[in-house]
Amino acid sequence: MNQHIVSATRTETALRSLDFFASLNQESIAKLGAISLLKELPGEYILHYENSYSDRLLFLVEGLVKAYKIDKYDNEIFLYYIYPGTMISDLSSLEESELLSYANISTVESSLLLSIEYRRFKTLFLDTGVLSHNFTLEILRQSKLLRELIDREFLLDSVSKVAMMLDKDLEMFNRLRRHDVSMMLHIQPETLSRVLKRLKRDDLVCTEKGEVMVCDHERLQAIYKDSL
C-alpha cells in the first residue's frame, strides 16, 4: 500500500489543528499550506532510516509513529512513540538546511502526516523569526525526551520502568499487547507479569475488563522517582 496525498483544503485544516502553528494568521497559514502536503500512510511504513538526511519537516496529525534503532544482531531496539499533534522530525539546530534522523522512524498504524518543504519553511518562518521560538522549544522538548529515555534505560530497574509507564502512559500500556510493552521497556514478558502481580498485591493497580487501572498514583510515582 502506497502513500496517498490529501487535498489542499484538508492540509490547511491540519495546519490549524497543530499547536506549533497556532500563532500564525490566515496569510501565513496559506503560505505554509503552499509548501506542505498531507499524506495518508499505512501502518509499518518507514519514514526515515537512522542517520539519513531529509529535506521534509514532518508532523503527525493522526495515528501513531515509533522511533527505534537496530542493533548489530538485527534486533529492534524500541526508543519511544510519537503521538498526534507532535513533530516527528529530529531537531538539533536552527542553522541546518537538512534534517538528520537520529533513529529509524515508522508508522505503527494507518497515519496522517503533514510534510513541509524544510528549506522554504526555514526561509519563510525561521530566518524571519516568525516560528523560531516554537522551533527552539521543540528542540528543548526533544532533548528532554532523550534525557528521559537515558534515565529509563540506565537508572530504572524493571519495577520502576513498569511503574513509570503505568503512571505516565496508562492508555498506551492498555492499548498494546503485553509482549509489545515488554519490548518497549526492554524487559522479559515474564518479568512484566511478575511486576504487575506485585503491584496488584500492593494495591497500587487493579484490573477491570482486562485493562489495568492505577489505584494509587502517589505510591506508584514514588517507586520510580526515588531512582531518578
Side-chain angles (χ1 to χ4, degrees):
M1 182 177 178
N2 295 322
Q3 56 183 290
H4 172 65
I5 307 299
V6 182
S7 69
T9 301
R10 283 189 63 192
T11 299
E12 288 200 9
T13 300
L15 285 168
R16 293 191 191 94
S17 74
L18 296 171
D19 290 341
F20 190 89
F21 304 116
S23 62
L24 297 182
N25 58 29
Q26 181 54 42
E27 180 182 357
S28 294
I29 288 289
K31 288 181 180 178
L32 186 55
I35 59 172
S36 303
L37 295 173
L38 193 61
K39 299 181 178 182
E40 292 178 344
L41 300 177
E44 299 184 1
Y45 186 99
I46 297 177
L47 302 169
H48 293 307
Y49 287 101
E50 181 181 350
N51 295 323
S52 64
Y53 284 93
S54 174
D55 59 358
R56 310 291 299 192
L57 180 65
L58 303 180
F59 288 83
L60 182 61
V61 180
E62 298 175 5
L64 185 66
V65 168
K66 68 177 178 180
Y68 62 98
K69 286 180 174 285
I70 301 294
D71 68 15
K72 62 181 180 180
Y73 302 109
D74 290 329
N75 297 311
E76 180 180 309
I77 308 299
F78 174 86
L79 297 178
Y80 52 84
Y81 284 113
I82 299 169
Y83 299 105
T86 307
M87 187 184 292
I88 297 172
S89 302
D90 289 324
L91 303 179
S92 58
S93 169
L94 292 171
E95 307 302 323
E96 302 297 332
S97 58
E98 286 186 311
L99 300 168
L100 175 65
S101 182
Y102 166 75
N104 302 291
I105 307 290
S106 74
T107 59
V108 175
E109 60 191 25
S110 297
S111 299
L112 191 62
L113 271 70
L114 185 70
S115 175
I116 303 170
E117 293 180 49
Y118 182 63
R119 287 189 180 88
R120 294 180 66 186
F121 172 83
K122 184 175 183 298
T123 299
L124 291 171
F125 298 100
L126 298 184
D127 295 345
T128 58
V130 175
L131 287 174
S132 57
H133 178 67
N134 296 33
F135 210 73
T136 300
L137 291 178
E138 181 62 24
I139 291 174
L140 294 174
R141 185 193 71 81
Q142 292 187 7
S143 177
K144 181 175 182 290
L145 180 64
L146 184 58
R147 289 198 305 272
E148 290 178 347
L149 174 64
I150 293 171
D151 287 346
R152 186 187 77 194
E153 292 309 308
F154 293 100
L155 299 179
L156 300 183
D157 60 14
S158 299
V159 177
S160 298
K161 287 181 179 181
V162 176
M164 176 182 277
M165 185 172 184
L166 289 171
D167 181 53
K168 292 191 171 185
D169 208 354
L170 182 60
E171 181 181 353
M172 182 56 67
F173 186 94
N174 285 319
R175 179 177 174 180
L176 296 172
R177 296 176 303 169
R178 293 292 181 262
H179 174 79
D180 294 328
V181 171
S182 300
M183 184 178 70
M184 175 180 175
L185 298 178
H186 305 151
I187 61 177
Q188 295 298 315
E190 297 81 7
T191 302
L192 175 61
S193 179
R194 286 197 299 271
V195 171
L196 284 174
K197 288 179 181 178
R198 171 181 165 179
L199 296 177
K200 289 178 186 176
R201 186 177 64 248
D202 294 340
D203 294 325
L204 297 179
V205 302
C206 57
T207 55
E208 184 175 318
K209 296 180 180 179
E211 292 196 347
V212 176
M213 301 178 64
V214 176
C215 302
D216 193 329
H217 276 284
E218 186 173 342
R219 289 171 60 208
L220 195 66
Q221 290 170 358
I223 291 175
Y224 66 86
K225 286 186 176 180
D226 286 347
S227 300
L228 296 176

